[in-house]
Amino acid sequence: MRVIAVTKSRVLLVLAMIAAALMYGGSAASAATVSINLCALPGTIQLPGAPPPPPTTIWGFATTATAGDCSTATASLPGPQLDVTLSAAETTVTFNVTNELPAGQSITFEIPGITFDAGAADVAPGGTLTRSFTAPASPPLSPPAPGAPNGPGTYLYGSGGDGGRQQAMGLYGALIVHPSTPGQAYESNTTAYDVEAPLVLSAIDPAFNNSADPGTYNMYTYRATYWLINGKAYPQTTGITAAAGKKVLLRYLNAGYDNTTMMLLGMHEHVVAKDAWPLSSTYDANAETIPAGATEDAIATVPAGGAPSANGFALFNRQLHLTNGDQAGTSPSPPDGGGMLTFIHP
């Protein structure tokens, strides 16, 4: 199995340490800035099946080199993972989001837990929305105040437009804000890890995604039949490669509309943060429920002595969403499992 892959494209925005300059007998660090250009546009994905079903329509995000230019953009599910690494100075992060969806589909750009500067929050088709926030210096000069925004952590970005239909179509992705110390999820060394595994959890109802007009689709009839990790249903999902003794940082992001319980078979995970805020009382668990729209960070140490299965340590949906497509018969399809399932393996 391959090392876990989050999207077709991945954005790595590493902000190097800003050198301090001596001024009037003191020192100061220059502020850092970064721009992220995104397009929201239609696309397709291939869901598993035997025979394979027709391609499924999505609305997804893509990254571009130039703000407003979506000519070479390809939508992905989930959207590209966005990584920002903090520096010794405050960092201004700006998103330029261009709307290339069908007529009538204005979009928003939202990141729960991030406090944006004042300004417009939505944009009509053909336009570009600019939203910015200021991330703190890392490591902080003093402990941040409780509830301080925009620090290190796992964030879910997306569009909340059209009564949730746009996110159900695929307009979501992961934003990871890293502290300046490599190999830590947060400023504390108790969050150190060896392997990082972002896990965007979501679901698809092909009848909704392939409808003639998702904007008028009756959401009371919405019924997901594919359950996804990073846009893939098992056996398409990719594994997490980690040897015995290694610490695996599981970054859960629930982009679906159901509270989702993920279970790790054969080892415990240590929950260290929720919604990009470190917990004062961390705890161990072998199954964790991540509310819809929430994120959670947990660290699992791979035990010695072998896994409980030939594939490794199973990480799966505890509600048993482990099938692909409509279940017309009495037996699960596929019989060897599907849906929201992956493995941690050497």
Side-chain angles (χ1 to χ4, degrees), residues 261-284:
T261 301
M262 295 299 291
M263 184 170 185
L264 185 55
L265 191 64
M267 70 172 87
H268 288 87
E269 54 189 0
H270 190 69
V271 181
V272 298
K274 294 188 177 185
D275 296 324
W277 191 249
L279 298 178
S280 57
S281 297
T282 59
Y283 60 93
D284 289 335

Side-chain angles (χ1 to χ4, degrees), residues 298-332:
I299 297 173
T301 301
V302 180
S309 79
N311 290 328
F313 299 88
L315 179 62
F316 63 97
N317 183 298
R318 188 62 183 84
Q319 284 94 346
L320 300 183
H321 293 308
L322 302 175
T323 55
N324 295 332
D326 271 327
Q327 303 302 296
T330 58
S331 299

Side-chain angles (χ1 to χ4, degrees), residues 233-309:
Y234 189 80
Q236 292 181 343
T237 53
T238 50
I240 304 167
T241 301
K246 297 298 184 181
K247 294 181 178 180
V248 181
L249 173 61
L250 302 169
R251 294 186 182 270
Y252 296 111
L253 305 97
N254 188 354
Y257 289 92
D258 296 310
N259 295 345
T260 298
T261 301
M262 295 299 291
M263 184 170 185
L264 185 55
L265 191 64
M267 70 172 87
H268 288 87
E269 54 189 0
H270 190 69
V271 181
V272 298
K274 294 188 177 185
D275 296 324
W277 191 249
L279 298 178
S280 57
S281 297
T282 59
Y283 60 93
D284 289 335
N286 62 4
E288 267 296 287
T289 298
I290 301 96
T295 71
E296 183 169 305
D297 299 307
I299 297 173
T301 301
V302 180
S309 79

Side-chain angles (χ1 to χ4, degrees), residues 48-97:
T56 297
T57 300
I58 63 165
W59 294 346
F61 287 105
T63 56
T64 62
T66 305
D69 181 6
C70 299
S71 59
T72 61
T74 300
S76 65
L77 186 78
Q81 181 177 310
L82 310 177
D83 290 85
V84 172
T85 299
L86 303 181
S87 69
E90 288 186 341
T91 300
T92 299
V93 182
T94 299
F95 300 92
N96 301 304
V97 186

